[in-house]
mmCIF file of all heavy atoms in Angstrom:
data_model
loop_
_atom_site.group_PDB
_atom_site.id
_atom_site.type_symbol
_atom_site.label_atom_id
_atom_site.label_comp_id
_atom_site.label_asym_id
_atom_site.label_seq_id
_atom_site.Cartn_x
_atom_site.Cartn_y
_atom_site.Cartn_z
ATOM 1 N N TYR A 93 15.956 -46.392 61.194
ATOM 2 C CA TYR A 93 16.252 -46.227 62.617
ATOM 3 C C TYR A 93 15.633 -47.344 63.463
ATOM 4 O O TYR A 93 15.568 -47.231 64.690
ATOM 5 C CB TYR A 93 15.687 -44.890 63.096
ATOM 6 C CG TYR A 93 14.246 -44.673 62.682
ATOM 7 C CD1 TYR A 93 13.201 -45.158 63.453
ATOM 8 C CD2 TYR A 93 13.940 -44.019 61.500
ATOM 9 C CE1 TYR A 93 11.890 -44.984 63.068
ATOM 10 C CE2 TYR A 93 12.620 -43.828 61.104
ATOM 11 C CZ TYR A 93 11.597 -44.312 61.891
ATOM 12 O OH TYR A 93 10.289 -44.138 61.501
ATOM 13 N N ALA A 94 15.141 -48.403 62.836
ATOM 14 C CA ALA A 94 14.498 -49.487 63.595
ATOM 15 C C ALA A 94 15.436 -50.005 64.684
ATOM 16 O O ALA A 94 16.643 -50.148 64.472
ATOM 17 C CB ALA A 94 14.102 -50.618 62.655
ATOM 18 N N HIS A 95 14.880 -50.299 65.841
ATOM 19 C CA HIS A 95 15.688 -50.683 66.993
ATOM 20 C C HIS A 95 14.809 -51.408 68.006
ATOM 21 O O HIS A 95 13.575 -51.367 67.905
ATOM 22 C CB HIS A 95 16.296 -49.437 67.654
ATOM 23 C CG HIS A 95 15.260 -48.443 68.094
ATOM 24 N ND1 HIS A 95 14.808 -47.439 67.263
ATOM 25 C CD2 HIS A 95 14.565 -48.304 69.256
ATOM 26 C CE1 HIS A 95 13.888 -46.728 67.901
ATOM 27 N NE2 HIS A 95 13.718 -47.232 69.098
ATOM 28 N N PRO A 96 15.407 -52.073 69.002
ATOM 29 C CA PRO A 96 14.586 -52.672 70.063
ATOM 30 C C PRO A 96 13.920 -51.536 70.846
ATOM 31 O O PRO A 96 14.574 -50.550 71.200
ATOM 32 C CB PRO A 96 15.595 -53.433 70.925
ATOM 33 C CG PRO A 96 16.916 -52.800 70.622
ATOM 34 C CD PRO A 96 16.843 -52.354 69.200
ATOM 35 N N GLU A 97 12.631 -51.671 71.117
ATOM 36 C CA GLU A 97 11.913 -50.573 71.751
ATOM 37 C C GLU A 97 11.804 -50.708 73.267
ATOM 38 O O GLU A 97 10.898 -50.170 73.896
ATOM 39 C CB GLU A 97 10.545 -50.411 71.097
ATOM 40 C CG GLU A 97 10.686 -49.959 69.646
ATOM 41 C CD GLU A 97 9.379 -49.519 69.025
ATOM 42 O OE1 GLU A 97 8.690 -50.390 68.473
ATOM 43 O OE2 GLU A 97 9.058 -48.329 69.076
ATOM 44 N N LEU A 98 12.762 -51.416 73.842
ATOM 45 C CA LEU A 98 12.884 -51.510 75.288
ATOM 46 C C LEU A 98 14.134 -50.759 75.724
ATOM 47 O O LEU A 98 15.203 -50.924 75.131
ATOM 48 C CB LEU A 98 12.977 -52.971 75.732
ATOM 49 C CG LEU A 98 11.708 -53.815 75.561
ATOM 50 C CD1 LEU A 98 12.026 -55.290 75.762
ATOM 51 C CD2 LEU A 98 10.624 -53.369 76.531
ATOM 52 N N ASP A 99 14.021 -49.941 76.765
ATOM 53 C CA ASP A 99 15.180 -49.243 77.307
ATOM 54 C C ASP A 99 16.029 -50.229 78.105
ATOM 55 O O ASP A 99 15.514 -50.940 78.979
ATOM 56 C CB ASP A 99 14.734 -48.103 78.230
ATOM 57 C CG ASP A 99 14.153 -46.926 77.464
ATOM 58 O OD1 ASP A 99 14.631 -46.660 76.346
ATOM 59 O OD2 ASP A 99 13.222 -46.281 77.975
ATOM 60 N N PHE A 100 17.310 -50.273 77.834
ATOM 61 C CA PHE A 100 18.207 -51.150 78.599
ATOM 62 C C PHE A 100 19.638 -50.647 78.454
ATOM 63 O O PHE A 100 19.992 -49.965 77.490
ATOM 64 C CB PHE A 100 18.115 -52.601 78.111
ATOM 65 C CG PHE A 100 18.690 -52.828 76.738
ATOM 66 C CD1 PHE A 100 19.990 -53.330 76.584
ATOM 67 C CD2 PHE A 100 17.964 -52.545 75.589
ATOM 68 C CE1 PHE A 100 20.535 -53.545 75.321
ATOM 69 C CE2 PHE A 100 18.492 -52.759 74.327
ATOM 70 C CZ PHE A 100 19.779 -53.259 74.194
ATOM 71 N N GLU A 101 20.475 -51.016 79.421
ATOM 72 C CA GLU A 101 21.881 -50.619 79.410
ATOM 73 C C GLU A 101 22.820 -51.806 79.464
ATOM 74 O O GLU A 101 24.032 -51.638 79.290
ATOM 75 C CB GLU A 101 22.166 -49.675 80.593
ATOM 76 C CG GLU A 101 21.406 -48.350 80.496
ATOM 77 C CD GLU A 101 21.671 -47.447 81.691
ATOM 78 O OE1 GLU A 101 22.402 -47.893 82.613
ATOM 79 O OE2 GLU A 101 21.145 -46.318 81.718
ATOM 80 N N ASN A 102 22.304 -53.006 79.727
ATOM 81 C CA ASN A 102 23.135 -54.207 79.778
ATOM 82 C C ASN A 102 22.258 -55.428 79.526
ATOM 83 O O ASN A 102 21.019 -55.327 79.518
ATOM 84 C CB ASN A 102 23.870 -54.308 81.126
ATOM 85 C CG ASN A 102 22.903 -54.263 82.305
ATOM 86 O OD1 ASN A 102 21.982 -55.074 82.391
ATOM 87 N ND2 ASN A 102 23.102 -53.308 83.206
ATOM 88 N N PRO A 103 22.863 -56.604 79.299
ATOM 89 C CA PRO A 103 22.076 -57.798 78.995
ATOM 90 C C PRO A 103 21.045 -58.156 80.064
ATOM 91 O O PRO A 103 19.936 -58.598 79.736
ATOM 92 C CB PRO A 103 23.137 -58.899 78.854
ATOM 93 C CG PRO A 103 24.366 -58.166 78.417
ATOM 94 C CD PRO A 103 24.318 -56.859 79.149
ATOM 95 N N PHE A 104 21.394 -57.970 81.331
ATOM 96 C CA PHE A 104 20.455 -58.296 82.407
ATOM 97 C C PHE A 104 19.214 -57.410 82.325
ATOM 98 O O PHE A 104 18.082 -57.894 82.456
ATOM 99 C CB PHE A 104 21.130 -58.149 83.774
ATOM 100 C CG PHE A 104 20.206 -58.378 84.938
ATOM 101 C CD1 PHE A 104 19.608 -59.632 85.129
ATOM 102 C CD2 PHE A 104 19.918 -57.361 85.844
ATOM 103 C CE1 PHE A 104 18.749 -59.840 86.211
ATOM 104 C CE2 PHE A 104 19.062 -57.575 86.909
ATOM 105 C CZ PHE A 104 18.467 -58.816 87.096
ATOM 106 N N GLN A 105 19.399 -56.133 82.110
ATOM 107 C CA GLN A 105 18.259 -55.234 82.004
ATOM 108 C C GLN A 105 17.378 -55.591 80.806
ATOM 109 O O GLN A 105 16.150 -55.544 80.894
ATOM 110 C CB GLN A 105 18.732 -53.781 81.895
ATOM 111 C CG GLN A 105 19.304 -53.227 83.186
ATOM 112 C CD GLN A 105 19.579 -51.724 83.092
ATOM 113 O OE1 GLN A 105 19.354 -51.093 82.065
ATOM 114 N NE2 GLN A 105 20.082 -51.149 84.181
ATOM 115 N N LEU A 106 18.000 -55.952 79.692
ATOM 116 C CA LEU A 106 17.216 -56.327 78.515
ATOM 117 C C LEU A 106 16.443 -57.611 78.772
ATOM 118 O O LEU A 106 15.269 -57.733 78.380
ATOM 119 C CB LEU A 106 18.132 -56.500 77.304
ATOM 120 C CG LEU A 106 17.431 -56.920 76.003
ATOM 121 C CD1 LEU A 106 16.344 -55.927 75.595
ATOM 122 C CD2 LEU A 106 18.446 -57.073 74.871
ATOM 123 N N LEU A 107 17.064 -58.564 79.437
ATOM 124 C CA LEU A 107 16.395 -59.826 79.756
ATOM 125 C C LEU A 107 15.174 -59.578 80.634
ATOM 126 O O LEU A 107 14.076 -60.067 80.361
ATOM 127 C CB LEU A 107 17.381 -60.773 80.462
ATOM 128 C CG LEU A 107 16.819 -62.112 80.957
ATOM 129 C CD1 LEU A 107 16.261 -62.924 79.800
ATOM 130 C CD2 LEU A 107 17.905 -62.892 81.694
ATOM 131 N N VAL A 108 15.352 -58.790 81.678
ATOM 132 C CA VAL A 108 14.246 -58.484 82.595
ATOM 133 C C VAL A 108 13.137 -57.725 81.874
ATOM 134 O O VAL A 108 11.949 -58.047 82.007
ATOM 135 C CB VAL A 108 14.757 -57.673 83.803
ATOM 136 C CG1 VAL A 108 13.591 -57.117 84.627
ATOM 137 C CG2 VAL A 108 15.658 -58.535 84.682
ATOM 138 N N ALA A 109 13.516 -56.717 81.096
ATOM 139 C CA ALA A 109 12.520 -55.912 80.379
ATOM 140 C C ALA A 109 11.724 -56.762 79.398
ATOM 141 O O ALA A 109 10.511 -56.571 79.234
ATOM 142 C CB ALA A 109 13.205 -54.756 79.651
ATOM 143 N N THR A 110 12.391 -57.699 78.735
ATOM 144 C CA THR A 110 11.699 -58.547 77.769
ATOM 145 C C THR A 110 10.715 -59.479 78.448
ATOM 146 O O THR A 110 9.602 -59.702 77.944
ATOM 147 C CB THR A 110 12.715 -59.355 76.939
ATOM 148 O OG1 THR A 110 13.680 -58.467 76.369
ATOM 149 C CG2 THR A 110 12.019 -60.099 75.814
ATOM 150 N N VAL A 111 11.083 -60.017 79.596
ATOM 151 C CA VAL A 111 10.152 -60.851 80.364
ATOM 152 C C VAL A 111 8.935 -60.024 80.786
ATOM 153 O O VAL A 111 7.789 -60.472 80.696
ATOM 154 C CB VAL A 111 10.857 -61.456 81.596
ATOM 155 C CG1 VAL A 111 9.839 -62.111 82.522
ATOM 156 C CG2 VAL A 111 11.909 -62.467 81.171
ATOM 157 N N LEU A 112 9.162 -58.798 81.199
ATOM 158 C CA LEU A 112 8.066 -57.926 81.629
ATOM 159 C C LEU A 112 7.160 -57.518 80.466
ATOM 160 O O LEU A 112 5.999 -57.163 80.675
ATOM 161 C CB LEU A 112 8.618 -56.663 82.291
ATOM 162 C CG LEU A 112 9.282 -56.828 83.658
ATOM 163 C CD1 LEU A 112 9.826 -55.482 84.132
ATOM 164 C CD2 LEU A 112 8.301 -57.386 84.682
#
Side-chain angles (χ1 to χ4, degrees):
Y93 49 86
H95 58 270
E97 294 191 271
L98 291 168
D99 287 326
F100 69 98
E101 296 179 357
N102 56 56
F104 176 63
Q105 289 188 359
L106 179 58
L107 176 60
V108 169
T110 307
V111 170
L112 290 177

